[in-house]
Amino acid sequence: MDVSRASDPRPFWLAGRPATGDAEQTVTNPHDGRVVGVHSVPTPDQVEQAVAAAHAVRGQAAALPIHVRAEALAHVARRLSERAEEIAQLISAENGKPIFWARGEVGRAVSTFRFGAEEARRFSGDVQRLDTEPAAQGRLAYVSRVPYGPVLAITPFNFPLNLVAHKVAPAIAVGAPIVVKPAPATPLSALVLGEILAETDLPEGVFSVLPVPNDRAASLVEDPRLPVVSFTGSGPVGYSILDSVPRKHVTLELGGNAAAVVLADADLDWAASRVALFSNYQAGQSCIAVQRVIVEDSVADAFTEKLVGAVGGLVTGDPADEKTQVGPLVSEDAAIRVEKWVDEAVAAGARLLAGGTRDGATIAPTVLADVPAGAKVTCEEVFGPVMTVQRVASVDEAFALVNDSRYGLQAGVFTRSLDVAFRANRELEVGGVVIGDVPSYRADQMPYGGVKESGVGREGLRSAMEDLTYEKVMVLTGLTL
């Protein structure tokens, strides 16, 4: 399928309508460099129009009947499903994601909008009798949730459709206008989403999709008409946003160096296959990809042998190939950085058990052992297909190592013990603990987010809707209850 449309630059979406600016940007495939598409870039005046429209429509959006919001979200889910193969091909082409994973992303985005439609219908007020004390006799509180106002959504390249969906769906569900700034490397999927949103009955101004360069994002972040900033991306950028607008409501979904703990009672074949695949899915470009593997000593030799074998069986190559499991990173520069980190670790004494080579933007799935403390591949977020394996003598040591990180997004623990599972939930300093599987598992309706330097706030439809709103109380007086 030809997804390039190079002769027909895609418009952006300004207050719900297609628009073109005075400049164009070309998007290329990171695997082979071919042109995937060309899109129009908004002018500063057009960005101003989009923000002004979001601000102007905020009251109307908040007052939209629930059925209108829910049906708009349900429509998006249906249309994404109908256009699933076309959009998956586009994601694969602009991102370099193997088509297998791109199809999975579209499926998840369908679910995200469907969950949004369902939650919108359930997101209603609550009542509370206040006559628990004599002074409040005849009084009743009606508690509703009200959107803070228009949302600025800044989204990353690694899930160019579903992570946009996780901003857009909850905003529409609560009646908040949203301005989306997609990642410059992968804006085309978000523009298709804008096209589908334009088919709904949402008022003009409720959404805009503005593919502007990163150096123009600061003015959007600082604009007082966008009181909420929802950012997914790197820690340094996220915290610079938080520091720059301390009086705004800012939610951050940042990175991590996720750990998978393999204990002696685990199913080693299952653990090895899952860790191998989910250290390398999306070429490791996921904030919950397995980066640190912590193995109990009594099974370390057997597990490591199985793990290296499973990694060696992964198919690396052209993302358009149906058999490919590991594709390129988003750019050759990204791959060069990952290669340098691996080389630094090996030079410092780490043993290379698999991979370690680079071909253009592609890094071979890499396994390192005996990595010295302080190496970037352990302490930082690699965001590439690289994992480290470390032996431990006990559960105590394993959990201490998981927590020995400034990040805290999710962790996986392979164990059959219910006691150990609940202990992990008590002790691990992360936002999510996955028992019997990798930390990379995420259901799109569940609360998702981190602690420490992995972020502020939660995604997942209901959680995000609560994050975008505040409680408002109306007290009714003189009632006979």
Side-chain angles (χ1 to χ4, degrees):
M1 180 182 295
D2 179 12
V3 295
S4 68
R5 295 183 59 176
S7 61
D8 181 21
R10 293 179 184 267
F12 53 89
W13 295 90
L14 195 169
R17 292 182 175 272
T20 56
D22 57 9
E24 296 176 353
Q25 183 67 41
T26 299
V27 179
T28 58
N29 185 311
H31 174 68
D32 55 21
R34 68 183 171 87
V35 173
V36 177
V38 179
H39 67 85
S40 189
V41 178
T43 66
D45 284 346
Q46 289 170 318
V47 171
E48 163 59 28
Q49 292 171 36
V51 175
H55 180 71
V57 81
R58 67 194 189 283
Q60 183 183 356
L64 278 176
I66 288 175
H67 71 86
V68 175
R69 305 178 209 170
E71 180 49 40
L73 295 169
H75 173 84
V76 175
R78 289 192 297 268
R79 294 290 286 137
L80 287 175
S81 182
E82 292 166 0
R83 298 177 62 179
E85 184 61 21
E86 168 205 347
I87 297 171
Q89 294 285 348
L90 181 61
I91 291 171
S92 180
E94 70 172 338
N95 173 276
K97 181 176 298 193
I99 188 63
F100 167 80
W101 296 112
R103 290 182 182 128
E105 179 173 351
V106 177
R108 288 181 61 189
V110 171
S111 296
T112 298
F113 277 99
R114 177 168 55 83
F115 294 145
E118 294 167 356
E119 289 294 346
R121 295 186 189 278
R122 288 192 285 262
F123 201 68
S124 57
D126 195 9
V127 295
Q128 182 179 4
R129 286 184 62 153
L130 302 179
D131 60 341
T132 54
E133 299 294 332
Q137 186 166 333
R139 295 180 186 263
L140 183 80
Y142 170 70
V143 185
S144 58
R145 296 198 71 92
V146 179
Y148 288 107
V151 177
L152 170 63
I154 303 177
T155 60
F157 69 82
N158 55 331
F159 289 86
L161 178 66
N162 195 40
L163 291 185
V164 177
H166 270 284
K167 311 291 188 189
V168 172
I172 291 174
V174 301
I178 185 165
V179 174
V180 178
K181 193 209 89 64
T186 57
L188 303 182
S189 303
L191 294 175
V192 171
L193 181 57
E195 180 183 326
I196 293 173
L197 283 165
E199 299 169 354
T200 70
D201 293 329
L202 292 171
E204 288 187 14
V206 167
F207 76 92
S208 293
V209 183
L210 306 178
V212 297
N214 287 339
D215 61 8
R216 291 174 58 188
S219 60
L220 282 167
V221 169
E222 294 165 3
D223 197 304
R225 295 169 295 179
L226 299 171
V228 179
V229 181
S230 179
F231 172 85
T232 299
S234 73
V237 175
Y239 282 110
S240 71
I241 289 172
L242 187 65
D243 292 342
S244 69
V245 285
R247 290 179 175 81
K248 285 197 176 190
H249 185 75
V250 178
T251 66
L252 303 176
E253 201 278 277
L254 306 177
N257 53 3
V261 176
V262 181
L263 298 177
D265 66 338
D267 180 333
L268 299 187
D269 290 319
W270 164 255
S273 66
R274 297 293 284 178
V275 169
L277 185 60
F278 284 95
S279 176
N280 297 290
Y281 86 124
Q282 325 288 338
Q285 296 171 124
S286 167
C287 47
I288 45 175
V290 180
Q291 183 173 325
R292 297 182 294 148
V293 187
I294 300 166
V295 191
E296 202 163 6
D297 191 66
S298 63
V299 294
D301 289 338
F303 173 78
T304 302
E305 182 179 355
K306 292 175 185 292
L307 176 63
V308 172
V311 168
L314 296 174
V315 178
T316 303
D318 185 347
D321 190 322
E322 299 281 345
K323 296 179 181 178
T324 297
Q325 295 166 292
V326 185
L329 276 73
V330 71
S331 68
E332 187 167 1
D333 285 346
I336 289 170
R337 176 192 58 77
V338 172
E339 180 186 36
K340 287 181 178 177
W341 285 18
V342 172
D343 290 346
E344 288 174 6
V346 172
R351 287 189 297 124
L352 188 64
L353 303 184
T357 59
R358 180 179 66 84
D359 180 8
T362 299
I363 295 283
T366 299
V367 183
L368 295 166
D370 301 331
V371 179
K376 290 177 183 175
V377 293
T378 296
C379 298
E380 305 293 335
E381 181 180 37
V382 174
F383 226 60
V386 178
M387 73 178 100
T388 65
V389 180
Q390 186 167 356
R391 295 169 175 256
V392 293
S394 64
V395 175
D396 290 350
E397 187 179 353
F399 287 2
L401 272 178
V402 173
N403 291 338
D404 186 21
S405 171
R406 69 174 191 269
Y407 300 111
L409 193 47
Q410 294 201 156
V413 181
F414 289 88
T415 181
R416 292 186 173 98
S417 168
L418 194 58
D419 286 343
V420 172
F422 276 92
R423 178 181 172 187
N425 188 59
R426 288 194 307 271
E427 296 183 6
L428 297 183
E429 298 166 354
V430 293
V433 178
V434 183
I435 303 298
D437 206 352
V438 290
S440 319
Y441 177 79
R442 177 184 180 183
D444 290 288
Q445 72 272 36
M446 77 183 195
Y448 174 79
V451 296
K452 298 195 279 191
E453 292 188 27
S454 284
V456 178
R458 289 293 181 269
E459 290 190 343
L461 275 301
R462 180 77 186 197
S463 298
M465 290 164 68
E466 291 176 352
D467 236 350
L468 298 180
T469 57
Y470 61 91
E471 285 187 320
K472 187 172 185 178
V473 180
M474 177 178 69
V475 176
L476 300 175
T477 305
L479 302 177
T480 301
L481 299 174

